[in-house]
Amino acid sequence: MDSLTPATAGKTEALAARYGHDAIPLAGPWNETIAGMLGHRSVRAYRPDPLPEGTLETLVAAASSAATSSNLQTWSVVAVQDPEARAALAEVASGQKHVRQCPLFLVWLADLSRNARLAEAEGVALEGLPYLESFLVAAVDAALAAQNAVVAAESLGLSTVYIGALRNDVQRVAGLLGLPPGAVGVFGLCVGYAADPGEVKPRLPQATVLHRERYATEGEAAQRAGYDTALGEFSARNGMGPEGWTGRVIGRLAKLRAMAGRDRLVAALRGIGFPLR
Amino acid sequence: MDSLTPATAGKTEALAARYGHDAIPLAGPWNETIAGMLGHRSVRAYRPDPLPEGTLETLVAAASSAATSSNLQTWSVVAVQDPEARAALAEVASGQKHVRQCPLFLVWLADLSRNARLAEAEGVALEGLPYLESFLVAAVDAALAAQNAVVAAESLGLSTVYIGALRNDVQRVAGLLGLPPGAVGVFGLCVGYAADPGEVKPRLPQATVLHRERYATEGEAAQRAGYDTALGEFSARNGMGPEGWTGRVIGRLAKLRAMAGRDRLVAALRGIGFPLR
């Protein structure tokens, strides 16, 4: 047990909230930044309060500071305020009301179009652009940038939630935001003050996701059973029914209709400038 | 100009280092967590010093706390110590010596195999798994988790660098780590104490990457010219030659041979259990 310096106060409680009391990992060093990350909750209800001036620029400065593959910087972000655009984006995202409700909505782009414009201006061809690898680089760049923005936002007392459902119709999102070919909204992000921050959601035990030297699945079935119980209890406490993780994974992945159009992502990406060779 | 409270001391300097003195954005709120992210440098030379006990578990706790699409948790991480495995992984990564040198090397996996095992155990089929969408969800999940680990590591005075070159040969990496079908190393991550942390690398101006309401390219050419100058000066100061961003992007993307095998990623992923439908 750590002594309760300001930096370690709450460490055991934070780990118990994240993993459940029966699966607390032997975590070592600790500080306020780490405590902030451990406290993350995805929030789907926002107060209308505006953000302090300069918040968007602070979040983008954090985003710009993330690593980017070969410094190619193949991401961009669109900040959307317009209520009609918000309503249309919420519709793409299966009607998620927080897309309209949050004071700041960010669409994070995998963006190869900037490098394509650079090449055109310089009169060179970029053979590497049309490949799946370059799309993946751009999507990962966008994710690293966005996660820095999330950590920054939460460190300021704001809440967030990613909106992957923008991928239900990437072509419509591209049309709404005036994206050039080679730019795609990988996900959205709501930012604002939580109406109800809710409880930290437990995750799979470290023994399930952390492998040493080689991938190993010994013990996984028992770990999953324990996590089913922990997530079921969390869900019941939070008015989401008692179903555990196993049932939720099956509900999300068993039937194509749950993909809400994302089973057509290859064709949709090809239609907006990503050949995915 | 902010008054120099502990939380805002160094804000202007941090923004100038990240964007150049001519492109400081009007960032607002500021704190130690944000200052830490602004100070990020990718480090490619490590001291041999071991990490404090429990560091790996702390980093994974931060990683587990990142958002994950529909709570599917489609990522895993393999911590590799074995010198022979390190040497082989470094070889995949075009010989990058820091892969062998750093005290902790993490391979972050897009991992659909866990959900596949769950489905097999439960006797159900998961129609959604073989799609590009599910691979993308897993790759983004891995990136969000890894970036939290990076922020945690840097908050502890450690340094990091992502190793995208593991994708030069995803099949060999899968073999080395004993990955089941449906799991792939998306990137590696070196973690350790920097031998020389180096200077913060400037990024494209916010005006280039941040769009308001709709994507806009007005001013982009002039912003790129300014950034070419800033990056060229940074590179010359750091012994990397005076080339600006434009030349580096062309050098990285113009010819397929610079992809070092990653132009075959689609076939390689199909070979290890990602149909990418």
Side-chain angles (χ1 to χ4, degrees), chain B residues 140-233:
Chain B
V140 168
D141 265 13
L144 302 181
Q147 187 57 19
N148 261 18
V150 163
V151 172
E154 294 182 351
S155 78
L156 295 170
L158 298 165
S159 292
T160 64
V161 62
Y162 283 105
I163 306 294
L166 288 191
R167 294 193 302 277
N168 292 353
D169 191 346
V170 294
Q171 290 169 304
R172 185 157 179 225
V173 172
L176 288 166
L177 304 181
L179 305 186
V184 59
V186 184
F187 43 74
L189 186 75
C190 298
V191 183
Y193 293 98
D196 173 12
E199 194 183 328
V200 166
K201 183 181 283 186
R203 296 281 196 236
L204 287 166
Q206 287 205 349
T208 305
V209 301
L210 170 58
H211 305 264
R212 293 166 198 262
E213 302 303 328
R214 289 177 69 82
Y215 197 98
T217 60
E218 292 84 11
E220 187 180 78
Q223 292 153 17
R224 176 158 64 86
Y227 182 57
D228 273 336
T229 303
L231 191 67
E233 289 170 359

Side-chain angles (χ1 to χ4, degrees), chain A residues 15 18-19 26-29 31 33-34 37-38 40 53-58 60-61 64-68 70-73 76-82 109 111 113-115 117-118 121-122 124-128 131-133 136-137 139-140 143-144 147-148 151-152 155-156 162 167 175-180 201 203-204 206 208-215 217 220 224 227 231 245-246 249-250 252-256 259 262-263 265-266 269 276-277, chain B residues 15 18-19 26-29 31 33-34 37-38 40 53-58 60-61 64-68 70-73 76-82 109 111 113-115 117-118 121-122 124-128 131-133 136-137 139 143-144 147-148 151-152 155-156 162 167 175-180 201 203-204 206 208-215 217 220 224 227 231 245-246 249-250 252-256 259 262-263 265-266 269 276-277:
Chain A
L15 291 166
R18 182 56 70 196
Y19 288 108
L26 294 169
N31 59 35
T33 295
I34 292 166
M37 286 189 280
L38 264 282
H40 163 78
E53 200 178 329
T55 299
L56 172 61
E57 290 79 2
T58 292
V60 175
S64 282
S65 300
T68 153
S70 303
N71 199 33
L72 292 175
Q73 303 181 64
S76 292
V77 61
V78 186
V80 186
Q81 302 269 358
D82 177 58
L109 311 181
D111 188 357
S113 79
R114 187 159 48 235
N115 289 341
R117 286 189 296 279
L118 174 160
E122 301 293 320
V124 298
L126 298 183
E127 292 179 0
Y131 286 79
L132 174 68
E133 162 68 11
L136 179 59
V137 159
V140 167
L144 301 182
Q147 186 58 19
N148 260 19
V151 172
S155 78
L156 296 169
Y162 283 105
R167 293 193 304 276
L176 287 165
L177 305 181
L179 304 187
K201 184 182 282 187
R203 297 281 196 235
L204 286 165
Q206 287 205 348
T208 304
V209 300
L210 169 60
H211 305 264
R212 292 164 198 261
E213 303 302 330
R214 291 177 67 83
Y215 198 99
T217 59
E220 187 180 81
R224 177 159 63 86
Y227 182 56
L231 192 67
W245 191 61
T246 299
V249 169
I250 292 170
R252 183 70 188 71
L253 289 172
K255 295 297 172 198
L256 277 196
M259 296 185 78
R262 286 183 246 173
D263 49 318
L265 186 63
V266 170
L269 285 170
L276 305 177
R277 251 178 237 163
Chain B
L15 291 165
R18 182 56 71 196
Y19 289 107
L26 294 169
N31 59 36
T33 294
I34 293 167
M37 286 188 278
L38 264 280
H40 164 79
E53 199 179 330
T55 298
L56 172 61
E57 290 78 2
T58 292
V60 174
S64 283
S65 300
T68 154
S70 303
N71 198 33
L72 292 175
Q73 305 180 64
S76 293
V77 62
V78 186
V80 186
Q81 302 269 359
D82 177 57
L109 311 180
D111 189 356
S113 79
R114 187 160 48 234
N115 288 341
R117 287 190 295 280
L118 174 160
E122 301 293 319
V124 298
L126 298 183
E127 292 179 0
Y131 285 80
L132 174 68
E133 161 68 13
L136 179 60
V137 159
L144 302 181
Q147 187 57 19
N148 261 18
V151 172
S155 78
L156 295 170
Y162 283 105
R167 294 193 302 277
L176 288 166
L177 304 181
L179 305 186
K201 183 181 283 186
R203 296 281 196 236
L204 287 166
Q206 287 205 349
T208 305
V209 301
L210 170 58
H211 305 264
R212 293 166 198 262
E213 302 303 328
R214 289 177 69 82
Y215 197 98
T217 60
E220 187 180 78
R224 176 158 64 86
Y227 182 57
L231 191 67
W245 190 63
T246 298
V249 169
I250 292 169
R252 184 68 188 74
L253 289 171
K255 296 297 173 199
L256 277 197
M259 295 184 79
R262 286 183 246 173
D263 49 317
L265 186 63
V266 170
L269 285 171
L276 305 176
R277 248 178 241 163

Side-chain angles (χ1 to χ4, degrees), chain A:
Chain A
M1 188 81 184
D2 293 280
S3 62
L4 287 174
T5 64
T8 57
K11 173 179 164 183
T12 302
E13 292 76 3
L15 291 166
R18 182 56 70 196
Y19 288 108
H21 282 91
D22 299 333
I24 297 176
L26 294 169
W30 198 256
N31 59 35
E32 288 302 312
T33 295
I34 292 166
M37 286 189 280
L38 264 282
H40 163 78
R41 283 91 91 200
S42 292
V43 165
R44 294 177 178 81
Y46 291 91
R47 307 202 313 253
D49 313 41
L51 306 181
E53 200 178 329
T55 299
L56 172 61
E57 290 79 2
T58 292
L59 302 188
V60 175
S64 282
S65 300
T68 153
S69 183
S70 303
N71 199 33
L72 292 175
Q73 303 181 64
T74 50
W75 65 276
S76 292
V77 61
V78 186
V80 186
Q81 302 269 358
D82 177 58
E84 279 183 41
R86 290 287 195 97
L89 290 167
E91 197 177 282
V92 170
S94 309
Q96 294 180 63
K97 67 178 185 336
H98 33 283
V99 172
R100 293 192 305 267
Q101 187 182 55
C102 61
L104 177 60
F105 187 67
L106 300 175
V107 181
W108 297 87
L109 311 181
D111 188 357
L112 301 176
S113 79
R114 187 159 48 235
N115 289 341
R117 286 189 296 279
L118 174 160
E120 198 184 344
E122 301 293 320
V124 298
L126 298 183
E127 292 179 0
L129 276 190
Y131 286 79
L132 174 68
E133 162 68 11
S134 294
F135 167 72
L136 179 59
V137 159
V140 167
D141 265 13
L144 301 182
Q147 186 58 19
N148 260 19
V150 163
V151 172
E154 294 182 351
S155 78
L156 296 169
L158 298 165
S159 292
T160 64
V161 64
Y162 283 105
I163 307 293
L166 289 190
R167 293 193 304 276
N168 292 353
D169 191 346
V170 294
Q171 290 169 304
R172 185 157 179 223
V173 172
L176 287 165
L177 305 181
L179 304 187
V184 58
V186 184
F187 44 74
L189 185 74
C190 298
V191 183
Y193 294 98
D196 173 13
E199 193 184 330
V200 166
K201 184 182 282 187
R203 297 281 196 235
L204 286 165
Q206 287 205 348
T208 304
V209 300
L210 169 60
H211 305 264
R212 292 164 198 261
E213 303 302 330
R214 291 177 67 83
Y215 198 99
T217 59
E218 291 83 12
E220 187 180 81
Q223 292 152 18
R224 177 159 63 86
Y227 182 56
D228 273 335
T229 302
L231 192 67
E233 288 170 0
F234 165 88
S235 299
R237 275 196 310 275
N238 289 274
M240 295 182 277
E243 195 172 34
W245 191 61
T246 299
R248 289 176 191 276
V249 169
I250 292 170
R252 183 70 188 71
L253 289 172
K255 295 297 172 198
L256 277 196
R257 66 171 179 276
M259 296 185 78
R262 286 183 246 173
D263 49 318
R264 296 185 297 272
L265 186 63
V266 170
L269 285 170
R270 288 192 171 132
I272 57 173
F274 296 91
L276 305 177
R277 251 178 237 163

